Amino acid sequence: MDVGRRPGARERRDGTTNGGIGTMPLDANGAFLSFRNVKKSYDQKTLVVKDFNLDVQKGEFITLLGPSGSGKSTVLMMLAGFEGVTSGDIVIAGQSVTRTAPYRRNIGMVFQNYALFPHMTIAENLAYPLRVRKMNKAAVKDRVNEYLRLIEMGSFGGRYPGQLSGGQRQRVALARALIFEPSLILMDEPLGALDKKLREQMQYEITRLHEQLGFTVIYVTHDQTEALTMSSRIAVFNDGVVQQCAAPAQLYERPSNAFVADFIGENNFIPGKVDRIEGGKARVTVAGGGTITADAAEGLKAGADCVLSIRPEKLFIKPTSHAYDNELVAEHVTHHYVGDFIRFYFRVAEGTEITIKVLNDLAAPDLKAGDKASLVWLAKDCIAFPA
Amino acid sequence: MTPSALDANDTASARRELRRRKLTAFLFVAPLLLFLVFAFVAPIATMLVRSVYHPVVSELIPETLEALKDWDGEALPPAEARAVFAADLKRLAGERLSGKLAEEINRALPGSSSTIKASARKLGRMDDAELASAGGAILAAADAAWENPKIWKAIRDAGAAYTPDYYLTALDLEMADGGGVQPRDGAKIYVDLYTKTLRIALYITVLTLIGGYPLAYYLANAESKNANMLMVFVLLPFWTSLLVRTTSWIALLQTSGVVNSVLTGAGITRSPLEMLYTQFSTVLAMTHILMPFMILPLYSVMKGIDPSYMRAAMSMGSKPIPAFLKIYLPMTLPGLSAGVLLVFIISVGYYITPALVGGTDGQMISNIIAFHMQQSNNWELAAALGSLLLAMILVLYWVYDRFVGAGNIKLG
Ligand SMILES: Nc1ncnc2c1ncn2[C@@H]1O[C@H](COP(=O)(O)OP(=O)(O)OP(=O)(O)O)[C@@H](O)[C@H]1O
Ligand SMILES: [Mg+2]
């Protein structure tokens, strides 16, 4: 699947690399798509989406990530027009679309079950949005062939969806959402039904097409790795509210609250009490008696309870050549051999467990259950969140 | 490496194993198979045979028929042949079977019954030798009709064990005198009845489709609480007796019934409408009764259609109605064709409802079949009519299979 080798590699028809419709007026703040205080209730009693705000730039790849039932699909359905907005506004290219019928929104959508029409061939499926737009026959044919080549399925036009593999169906669904050059593509867990290997391949494929064609994507997934590798920005959802919306690296390194720290990747949490805060750094006394320096998260107050979060790969066991400015003594519980690394489990004084990932090299310590060890880390790798 | 082919021992044991499995499988289906042979295959086969095989006359007067074999059918049969018949008739009179013969011949030549009965009475007292020598003359003396070749022809024709006559009658045709087939005089009772039956079945199919499709759609997409309750109403007709449902229509539609009372009471009509005992009441009651057969296959197919298909179509810019016609409707085709086929075939052969509410106008082919079985005692004609009905349905099924494909039927 090397883009460079593919003979049919193409530029966007209009020569720009921007998605969809070439010249669209943008929002005052430069956003192409904005959600403004969007709320949604299905039962007129509880809000499923509470005050959702998000600005998306043209060409961005935004992922909505969050636990099941947090309202991700609901947001997507409101954007596509299949669910009404209870209050608030959705603005695309400077125009409110909350009252626009779904078929007038010009938004491409990839469904989890692909929703390829089973009674039409692949070529007919791809031609459908073009025929709806009354494009002439020859042009439809050319465009369909072009997109079949784009997804590298040139010879599959005459087959029916039932005769394709999962990954092939996925690619057709993607091509069908792209073929009418919508300004926006929505994907609701498009890779959920694929196995791991195929999923990685398709992630690559989607990223490639996104870079090549430059459309704007709103993507929903459960899979963190998928979100981290593909997105320009990730909006972490919980309980109908966006907890944080940031680029993958920032989300991972600098989570803005304990939920995000816990939800994205693996994390250790140690409860403590804040002594004082100076210049964004907090001095925290942990239950075992040690004093730790950590970055203070927003909303942290001196004298209040807090939780410290440290990623397992940022912790080291003394002796170590790594620099450190925090140290904590803990009791070794057990360790698991994973292959390229070893996972150590420690107990901090009052029963909080800590996990450490240690590279499986010569420096890996040899510990027995009950041994005491000193765990060390850098203050900048550790964040204190309000408890 | 061990070879993957089986050796002789393995092959034998694998065969034994397979035989055992087949036997068990057969034992599982055997009861139903037996029942089907007994209750389905056998009756249909008998019906098919009955419609062409009628050996009564050939069993009553085998010798006469043998003697008449070489007769050209133009002039009177030769005297010997008539003498053989005279002897046969005497024997029948003795066995008290002459009445049966008279009845059979009368069917082919109306009016010949009395001739045969009267002659049989006279011949019964004659001497065998006398009959053998001058049987023809004695017959002619007994009744002048025996001098007319017509009755002899009727006897010969009725003697054929296999006859297409019943099929011809069922199609309002008859044998022409000079051979060949010609339309029968008078009204085309049966052909008209077949077309009427098909027409009524078509009305019912269309009506159940119009009523059933939107309901099935609603059921398939409604919240499960509402859908379950509505489903009970759909299934209710299955749980109440057919007779009760049909008679309830009588209560509704009769001259002094609910509908008429309301209409006259509200001043909409001056005098009560004649609704019962018409084609209208047959169609109405049968539409009601057959509605579940349309709704259930449609529902089961629609239940399996994810709403994302319509959404996908709309997200691609299709308006709801074109999206419905292009995407949803074709996807419901398996259920649609199953429902249509089911309702049409059931209504073509329906009996009880037209019998109860149809009057004369609303009678269908099954009612006339029942009439021939119960009242006119003409089982052969009933069998011919039934076989034609069966053939018609098979043809329809074949046409359907050609154009839609039987594999597309989905019942649940
Ligand atoms: N049509 C509906 N009617 C009523 N409640 C609904 C409807 N659709 C979703 N909900 C509720 O709204 C909440 C959010 O649902 P939504 O489908 O948006 O979650 P999600 O984040 O997409 O979850 P998942 O990751 O499992 O797909 C859930 O509590 C769900 O039960
Ligand atoms: Mg969802």
Side-chain angles (χ1 to χ4, degrees):
Chain A
M1 299 254 178
D2 183 347
V3 184
R5 267 188 298 131
R6 205 163 44 76
R10 66 189 277 279
E11 288 293 298
R12 199 71 178 173
R13 215 168 317 286
D14 54 12
T16 68
T17 49
N18 273 348
I21 298 149
T23 49
M24 266 207 174
L26 295 184
D27 213 27
N29 56 10
F32 166 63
L33 160 71
S34 8
F35 292 88
R36 294 185 189 147
N37 309 97
V38 172
K39 294 179 187 167
K40 174 70 183 177
S41 167
Y42 282 109
D43 53 5
Q44 280 78 47
K45 284 190 210 98
T46 50
L47 286 176
V48 169
V49 174
K50 306 164 189 162
D51 207 20
F52 179 69
N53 283 292
L54 183 67
D55 284 329
V56 180
Q57 304 299 319
K58 201 156 211 180
E60 266 195 306
F61 195 118
I62 300 284
T63 299
L64 307 183
L65 187 65
S68 189
S70 56
K72 306 180 296 289
S73 299
T74 306
V75 167
L76 227 55
M77 286 300 151
M78 286 192 291
L79 179 52
F82 301 124
E83 287 292 348
V85 175
T86 306
S87 84
D89 205 3
I90 300 175
V91 178
I92 299 178
Q95 289 191 324
S96 169
V97 293
T98 36
R99 303 243 165 275
T100 312
Y103 50 88
R104 291 195 205 284
R105 292 192 186 194
N106 203 35
I107 293 176
M109 185 136 189
V110 180
F111 293 83
Q112 181 164 9
N113 64 353
Y114 316 135
L116 297 178
F117 306 137
H119 56 289
M120 295 184 182
T121 63
I122 301 309
E124 284 164 353
N125 263 285
L126 291 183
Y128 186 79
L130 306 177
R131 288 224 315 275
V132 167
R133 285 172 174 71
K134 308 248 180 322
M135 199 187 234
N136 79 50
K137 277 216 172 83
V140 168
K141 205 162 167 242
D142 286 349
R143 182 86 71 93
V144 166
N145 285 331
E146 183 186 332
Y147 272 79
L148 280 173
R149 273 201 310 277
L150 188 69
I151 54 168
E152 298 175 332
M153 289 180 58
S155 57
F156 289 79
R159 294 223 203 160
Y160 285 89
Q163 301 167 317
L164 299 184
S165 74
Q168 288 169 335
R169 275 180 228 178
Q170 220 295 327
R171 274 187 269 165
V172 175
L174 189 61
R176 194 181 62 174
L178 293 172
I179 199 165
F180 60 102
E181 304 188 332
S183 45
L184 196 56
I185 307 274
L186 314 184
M187 306 193 200
D188 194 350
E189 301 189 38
L191 308 182
L194 303 183
D195 65 38
K196 188 165 175 293
K197 202 166 150 60
L198 210 49
R199 198 153 63 215
E200 279 165 10
Q201 197 182 327
M202 284 311 303
Q203 286 168 9
Y204 176 82
E205 196 80 346
I206 292 173
T207 317
R208 170 175 79 85
L209 288 171
H210 175 242
E211 277 163 12
Q212 195 180 344
L213 304 179
F215 44 82
T216 311
V217 182
I218 311 288
Y219 193 93
V220 167
T221 184
H222 267 130
D223 183 338
Q224 293 186 19
T225 330
E226 193 169 299
L228 291 171
T229 52
M230 295 174 81
S231 325
S232 338
R233 282 192 296 151
I234 301 172
V236 179
F237 244 74
N238 189 36
D239 214 12
V241 179
V242 176
Q243 304 285 339
Q244 185 176 6
C245 179
Q250 202 192 349
L251 207 63
Y252 191 83
E253 307 286 348
R254 306 250 58 93
S256 66
N257 61 39
F259 174 81
V260 178
D262 188 25
F263 190 71
I264 305 285
E266 218 182 327
N267 230 327
N268 290 303
F269 291 99
I270 308 170
K273 203 173 175 72
V274 184
D275 295 338
R276 60 196 146 82
I277 303 172
E278 287 169 354
K281 295 278 179 193
R283 290 292 292 171
V284 178
T285 309
V286 296
T291 308
I292 302 293
T293 310
D295 282 349
E298 212 173 296
L300 195 69
K301 287 189 186 66
D305 285 341
C306 71
V307 277
L308 294 167
S309 83
I310 319 135
R311 301 247 177 229
E313 71 274 16
K314 306 283 189 189
L315 282 159
F316 301 99
I317 303 166
K318 242 167 127 180
T320 175
S321 59
H322 291 271
Y324 60 89
D325 36 35
N326 284 316
E327 184 166 346
L328 196 65
V329 177
E331 182 190 325
H332 178 239
V333 179
T334 182
H335 55 269
H336 291 153
Y337 184 81
V338 185
D340 51 351
F341 60 88
I342 304 172
R343 198 181 268 278
F344 283 85
Y345 296 92
F346 288 94
R347 187 178 299 132
V348 196
E350 82 298 347
T352 315
E353 290 224 342
I354 289 186
T355 311
I356 304 184
K357 271 177 166 179
V358 178
L359 265 186
N360 186 10
D361 58 11
L362 293 172
D366 185 16
L367 290 169
K368 280 187 249 337
D371 288 356
K372 296 278 182 194
S374 270
L375 313 179
V376 295
W377 68 94
L378 285 169
K380 74 172 180 62
D381 289 333
C382 172
I383 306 171
F385 294 110
Chain B
M1 211 179 85
T2 44
S4 60
L6 280 74
D7 66 24
N9 252 337
D10 292 343
T11 316
S13 112
R15 284 233 183 84
R16 255 199 316 281
E17 157 103 35
L18 186 67
R19 252 202 317 276
R20 215 174 24 245
R21 265 216 306 272
K22 277 187 177 160
L23 185 70
T24 351
F26 178 75
L27 286 177
F28 271 107
V29 296
L32 185 64
L33 200 66
L34 263 174
F35 179 78
L36 275 183
V37 167
F38 200 72
F40 193 71
V41 179
I44 288 187
T46 334
M47 180 182 80
L48 288 173
V49 169
R50 273 252 181 183
S51 62
V52 289
Y53 182 59
H54 187 66
V56 177
V57 176
S58 60
E59 278 164 11
L60 286 174
I61 48 168
E63 275 145 43
T64 310
L65 292 170
E66 185 63 34
L68 281 174
K69 219 170 173 181
D70 298 326
W71 175 49
D72 63 0
E74 295 295 326
L76 265 183
E80 305 87 68
R82 282 179 283 152
V84 172
F85 176 74
D88 267 343
L89 196 59
K90 179 183 175 220
R91 179 175 51 79
L92 288 181
E95 291 167 0
R96 304 198 170 280
L97 284 171
S98 55
K100 195 162 171 64
L101 180 70
E103 188 189 324
E104 291 294 333
I105 308 298
N106 194 54
R107 215 173 267 165
L109 184 69
S112 52
S113 172
S114 56
T115 310
I116 295 173
K117 280 185 188 153
S119 310
R121 264 196 304 281
K122 285 180 191 154
L123 261 57
R125 292 188 294 271
M126 299 279 178
D127 182 50
D128 276 348
E130 209 175 328
L131 281 177
S133 59
I138 294 168
L139 274 172
D143 195 314
W146 295 113
E147 303 215 61
N148 189 341
K150 244 186 174 164
I151 192 166
W152 293 103
K153 200 162 169 315
I155 289 171
R156 191 188 60 175
D157 292 349
Y162 291 92
T163 163
D165 278 358
Y166 299 106
Y167 278 103
L168 293 178
T169 311
L171 291 167
D172 294 322
L173 300 170
E174 64 184 3
M175 283 301 222
D177 279 338
V181 175
Q182 67 184 34
R184 239 180 3 184
D185 303 339
K188 291 193 186 339
I189 342 168
Y190 299 115
V191 171
D192 281 353
L193 205 55
Y194 275 119
T195 39
K196 187 163 87 180
T197 304
L198 291 179
R199 200 172 52 235
I200 290 181
L202 190 69
Y203 290 156
I204 292 165
T205 311
V206 170
L207 285 175
T208 49
L209 189 60
I210 291 172
Y213 199 94
L215 184 62
Y217 179 82
Y218 179 78
L219 279 176
N221 291 292
E223 269 176 58
S224 63
K225 192 175 55 139
N226 290 349
N228 287 343
M229 198 186 65
L230 277 171
M231 204 55 173
V232 171
F233 284 107
V234 172
L235 292 174
L236 209 57
F238 275 144
W239 301 336
T240 48
S241 146
L242 182 65
L243 213 58
V244 171
R245 270 176 289 151
T246 305
T247 34
S248 69
W249 277 108
I250 299 182
L252 278 174
L253 295 179
Q254 63 194 347
T255 318
S256 57
V258 179
V259 174
N260 273 321
S261 314
V262 171
L263 286 180
T264 44
I268 297 169
T269 53
R270 215 164 277 247
S271 55
L273 297 173
E274 280 308 326
M275 285 180 293
L276 196 58
Y277 307 124
T278 59
Q279 200 165 313
F280 168 77
S281 54
T282 305
V283 170
L284 194 63
M286 280 177 66
T287 302
H288 167 224
I289 287 161
L290 295 178
M291 194 61 100
F293 292 96
M294 183 63 86
I295 291 174
L296 292 177
L298 274 173
Y299 170 77
S300 90
V301 167
M302 287 174 175
K303 195 80 191 154
I305 301 179
D306 197 277
S308 65
Y309 289 105
M310 278 296 274
R311 288 178 167 181
M314 288 206 271
S315 79
M316 284 183 271
S318 187
K319 294 201 174 110
I321 291 175
F324 170 80
L325 294 176
K326 271 256 160 59
I327 307 300
Y328 198 81
L329 193 64
M331 288 177 77
T332 57
L333 213 55
L336 191 86
S337 46
V340 165
L341 208 64
L342 214 56
V343 169
F344 191 83
I345 287 178
I346 295 177
S347 40
V348 162
Y350 224 68
Y351 165 70
I352 187 132
T353 305
L356 288 176
V357 302
T360 44
D361 189 26
Q363 295 293 300
M364 293 170 75
I365 196 74
S366 316
N367 303 107
I368 205 76
I369 293 177
F371 168 80
H372 282 304
M373 285 167 70
Q374 293 160 355
Q375 264 128 62
S376 81
N377 237 339
N378 192 345
W379 280 53
E380 288 74 17
L381 184 56
L385 287 167
S387 306
L388 279 178
L389 189 64
L390 181 66
M392 213 157 67
I393 285 168
L394 290 178
V395 166
L396 280 173
Y397 184 77
W398 177 79
V399 169
Y400 168 84
D401 189 32
R402 275 299 301 274
F403 292 102
V404 187
N408 269 333
I409 300 183
K410 189 166 181 299
L411 291 175

Coordinates of all heavy atoms in Angstrom, one line a residue, chain A residues 77 82 103 107 109 111 113 115-120 128-129 132-133 176 180, chain B residues 306 308-309 311-320 322-323 326-327 330-331:
Chain A
M77 N -24.4 11.9 15.2 CA -25.7 11.8 14.6 C -26.3 13.2 14.6 O -27.0 13.6 13.6 CB -26.6 10.9 15.5 CG -26.3 9.5 15.3 SD -26.5 9.0 13.5 CE -25.3 7.7 13.4
F82 N -29.3 13.3 11.8 CA -30.2 12.2 12.1 C -30.8 12.3 13.5 O -31.7 11.6 13.8 CB -29.5 10.8 11.9 CG -29.0 10.7 10.5 CD1 -27.7 10.4 10.2 CD2 -29.9 10.8 9.4 CE1 -27.2 10.3 8.9 CE2 -29.4 10.7 8.1 CZ -28.1 10.4 7.9
Y103 N -30.0 15.3 4.1 CA -29.5 15.1 2.7 C -29.1 16.4 2.1 O -28.6 16.4 0.9 CB -30.6 14.5 1.9 CG -32.0 15.1 2.0 CD1 -32.3 16.2 1.1 CD2 -32.9 14.7 2.9 CE1 -33.6 16.8 1.2 CE2 -34.2 15.3 3.0 CZ -34.5 16.3 2.2 OH -35.7 16.9 2.3
I107 N -22.5 15.9 4.0 CA -21.5 15.3 4.9 C -21.4 13.8 4.6 O -22.4 13.2 4.5 CB -22.0 15.5 6.4 CG1 -22.0 16.9 6.8 CG2 -21.2 14.6 7.3 CD1 -22.6 17.2 8.1
M109 N -20.5 10.0 5.3 CA -20.5 9.2 6.6 C -20.1 7.8 6.4 O -20.6 7.1 5.4 CB -21.9 9.3 7.2 CG -22.1 8.7 8.5 SD -23.0 9.7 9.6 CE -22.8 8.9 11.1
F111 N -20.3 4.2 8.3 CA -20.9 3.6 9.4 C -20.2 2.4 9.9 O -19.4 1.8 9.1 CB -22.3 3.1 9.0 CG -23.3 4.3 8.7 CD1 -23.3 4.9 7.5 CD2 -24.1 4.8 9.7 CE1 -24.1 6.0 7.2 CE2 -24.9 5.8 9.4 CZ -24.9 6.4 8.2
N113 N -21.2 -0.6 10.5 CA -21.5 -1.8 9.7 C -21.4 -1.6 8.2 O -21.8 -2.3 7.4 CB -22.9 -2.3 10.0 CG -24.0 -1.3 9.6 OD1 -23.6 -0.2 9.2 ND2 -25.2 -1.6 9.7
A115 N -22.8 -0.2 6.0 CA -24.1 0.2 5.3 C -23.9 0.2 3.8 O -24.5 1.1 3.1 CB -24.6 1.5 5.8
L116 N -23.2 -0.7 3.2 CA -23.1 -0.8 1.7 C -24.4 -1.5 1.3 O -24.9 -2.4 1.9 CB -21.9 -1.7 1.3 CG -20.6 -1.2 1.7 CD1 -19.5 -2.2 1.2 CD2 -20.3 0.2 1.0
F117 N -25.0 -0.9 0.2 CA -26.3 -1.5 -0.2 C -26.1 -2.9 -0.8 O -25.4 -3.0 -1.8 CB -26.9 -0.5 -1.2 CG -27.0 0.9 -0.7 CD1 -26.7 2.0 -1.5 CD2 -27.4 1.1 0.6 CE1 -26.8 3.3 -1.0 CE2 -27.5 2.4 1.1 CZ -27.2 3.5 0.3
P118 N -26.7 -3.9 -0.2 CA -26.4 -5.2 -0.6 C -26.9 -5.6 -2.0 O -26.4 -6.5 -2.6 CB -27.1 -6.1 0.5 CG -28.1 -5.2 1.1 CD -27.6 -3.8 0.9
H119 N -27.9 -4.9 -2.5 CA -28.5 -5.2 -3.8 C -27.8 -4.5 -4.9 O -28.2 -4.6 -6.0 CB -30.0 -5.0 -3.8 CG -30.3 -3.6 -3.4 ND1 -30.2 -3.1 -2.1 CD2 -30.8 -2.6 -4.2 CE1 -30.6 -1.8 -2.1 NE2 -30.9 -1.5 -3.3
M120 N -26.8 -3.7 -4.6 CA -26.1 -3.0 -5.7 C -24.6 -3.5 -5.7 O -24.0 -3.8 -4.7 CB -26.1 -1.5 -5.4 CG -27.4 -0.9 -5.4 SD -27.2 0.9 -5.1 CE -28.9 1.4 -5.1
Y128 N -23.9 5.8 -6.5 CA -25.1 6.3 -5.9 C -25.1 7.8 -5.6 O -26.0 8.5 -6.1 CB -25.5 5.4 -4.7 CG -26.9 5.7 -4.2 CD1 -28.0 5.2 -4.8 CD2 -27.0 6.5 -3.1 CE1 -29.3 5.5 -4.3 CE2 -28.3 6.9 -2.6 CZ -29.4 6.4 -3.2 OH -30.6 6.7 -2.7
P129 N -24.2 8.3 -4.8 CA -24.2 9.7 -4.5 C -24.1 10.6 -5.7 O -24.6 11.7 -5.7 CB -23.1 9.9 -3.5 CG -22.2 8.7 -3.6 CD -23.1 7.6 -4.1
V132 N -27.4 10.6 -7.5 CA -28.4 11.4 -6.8 C -28.2 12.9 -7.2 O -29.1 13.7 -7.3 CB -28.2 11.2 -5.3 CG1 -28.9 12.3 -4.5 CG2 -28.7 9.9 -4.9
R133 N -26.9 13.2 -7.5 CA -26.6 14.6 -7.8 C -26.7 14.8 -9.3 O -26.2 15.8 -9.8 CB -25.1 14.9 -7.4 CG -25.0 15.1 -5.9 CD -23.6 15.2 -5.4 NE -23.6 15.5 -4.0 CZ -24.0 14.7 -3.0 NH1 -24.4 13.5 -3.3 NH2 -24.0 15.1 -1.8
R176 N -17.0 5.5 -0.8 CA -18.4 6.0 -1.1 C -18.7 7.3 -0.3 O -19.4 8.1 -0.8 CB -19.4 4.9 -0.7 CG -20.8 5.2 -1.3 CD -21.8 4.1 -0.9 NE -21.9 4.0 0.5 CZ -22.8 3.3 1.2 NH1 -23.6 2.5 0.5 NH2 -22.9 3.3 2.5
F180 N -18.3 11.9 -3.4 CA -19.0 13.1 -3.8 C -18.3 14.4 -3.2 O -18.9 15.4 -3.2 CB -20.5 13.0 -3.4 CG -20.8 12.8 -2.0 CD1 -21.2 13.9 -1.2 CD2 -20.7 11.6 -1.4 CE1 -21.5 13.7 0.1 CE2 -21.0 11.4 -0.1 CZ -21.4 12.4 0.7
Chain B
D306 N -30.8 -2.6 9.0 CA -30.3 -1.6 9.9 C -30.7 -0.2 9.5 O -30.7 0.1 8.3 CB -28.8 -1.7 9.9 CG -28.2 -1.0 11.1 OD1 -28.0 0.2 11.0 OD2 -27.9 -1.7 12.1
S308 N -29.1 2.2 9.4 CA -28.0 3.0 8.8 C -28.0 2.9 7.3 O -27.4 3.8 6.7 CB -26.6 2.3 9.3 OG -26.5 1.0 8.9
Y309 N -28.8 2.0 6.7 CA -28.8 2.0 5.2 C -29.5 3.3 4.7 O -29.0 3.9 3.8 CB -29.5 0.8 4.7 CG -28.7 -0.5 4.9 CD1 -29.0 -1.4 5.9 CD2 -27.6 -0.7 4.1 CE1 -28.3 -2.5 6.1 CE2 -26.9 -1.9 4.3 CZ -27.2 -2.8 5.2 OH -26.5 -3.9 5.4
R311 N -29.9 6.0 6.4 CA -29.1 7.1 6.8 C -28.0 7.3 5.8 O -27.7 8.5 5.5 CB -28.6 6.9 8.2 CG -29.7 7.0 9.2 CD -29.2 6.8 10.6 NE -30.2 7.2 11.6 CZ -30.0 7.1 12.9 NH1 -28.9 6.6 13.4 NH2 -31.0 7.5 13.7
A312 N -27.4 6.2 5.5 CA -26.3 6.3 4.5 C -26.8 7.0 3.2 O -26.1 7.9 2.7 CB -25.7 4.9 4.2
A313 N -27.9 6.5 2.7 CA -28.5 7.0 1.5 C -28.7 8.5 1.6 O -28.4 9.3 0.7 CB -29.7 6.3 1.1
M314 N -29.2 8.9 2.8 CA -29.5 10.4 2.9 C -28.3 11.2 3.1 O -28.2 12.3 2.6 CB -30.5 10.5 4.1 CG -31.9 10.1 3.8 SD -33.1 10.9 4.7 CE -33.2 9.8 6.1
S315 N -27.3 10.6 3.8 CA -26.0 11.3 4.0 C -25.4 11.6 2.6 O -24.6 12.5 2.4 CB -25.1 10.6 4.9 OG -24.4 9.6 4.3
M316 N -25.7 10.7 1.7 CA -25.1 10.9 0.3 C -25.9 11.8 -0.5 O -25.7 12.0 -1.7 CB -25.0 9.5 -0.4 CG -23.8 8.8 0.2 SD -23.6 7.2 -0.7 CE -24.6 6.1 0.3
G317 N -27.0 12.4 0.1 CA -27.7 13.4 -0.6 C -29.1 13.0 -1.2 O -29.7 13.7 -1.9
S318 N -29.5 11.7 -0.9 CA -30.7 11.3 -1.4 C -31.9 11.7 -0.6 O -31.8 11.7 0.7 CB -30.7 9.8 -1.5 OG -31.8 9.3 -2.2
K319 N -33.0 12.2 -1.2 CA -34.1 12.6 -0.4 C -34.8 11.3 0.1 O -34.6 10.3 -0.4 CB -35.1 13.4 -1.3 CG -34.5 14.7 -1.7 CD -35.5 15.7 -2.1 CE -34.9 17.1 -2.3 NZ -34.9 17.5 -3.7
P320 N -35.6 11.5 1.2 CA -36.2 10.3 1.8 C -37.0 9.4 0.9 O -36.8 8.2 0.9 CB -37.1 10.9 2.9 CG -36.5 12.2 3.2 CD -35.9 12.7 2.0
P322 N -37.0 9.0 -2.6 CA -36.1 8.2 -3.5 C -35.2 7.2 -2.8 O -35.0 6.1 -3.3 CB -35.2 9.3 -4.2 CG -36.0 10.6 -4.0 CD -36.8 10.5 -2.8
A323 N -34.7 7.6 -1.6 CA -33.9 6.7 -0.8 C -34.7 5.4 -0.5 O -34.3 4.3 -0.6 CB -33.4 7.3 0.4
K326 N -35.3 3.3 -3.7 CA -34.0 2.8 -4.3 C -33.3 1.8 -3.4 O -32.7 0.9 -3.8 CB -33.1 3.9 -4.7 CG -33.3 4.4 -6.1 CD -32.2 3.9 -7.0 CE -32.5 3.9 -8.5 NZ -32.8 5.2 -9.0
I327 N -33.4 2.1 -2.1 CA -32.6 1.3 -1.1 C -33.5 0.4 -0.2 O -33.3 -0.8 -0.2 CB -31.8 2.3 -0.2 CG1 -31.0 3.3 -1.0 CG2 -31.0 1.5 0.8 CD1 -30.0 2.6 -1.9
P330 N -36.1 -2.3 -2.3 CA -35.4 -3.5 -2.8 C -34.9 -4.4 -1.7 O -34.9 -5.6 -1.8 CB -34.2 -2.9 -3.6 CG -34.6 -1.6 -3.9 CD -35.4 -1.1 -2.8
M331 N -34.5 -3.8 -0.5 CA -34.0 -4.7 0.5 C -35.1 -5.5 1.2 O -34.9 -6.5 1.9 CB -33.3 -3.8 1.6 CG -31.9 -3.3 1.0 SD -31.1 -2.3 2.2 CE -30.4 -3.5 3.3

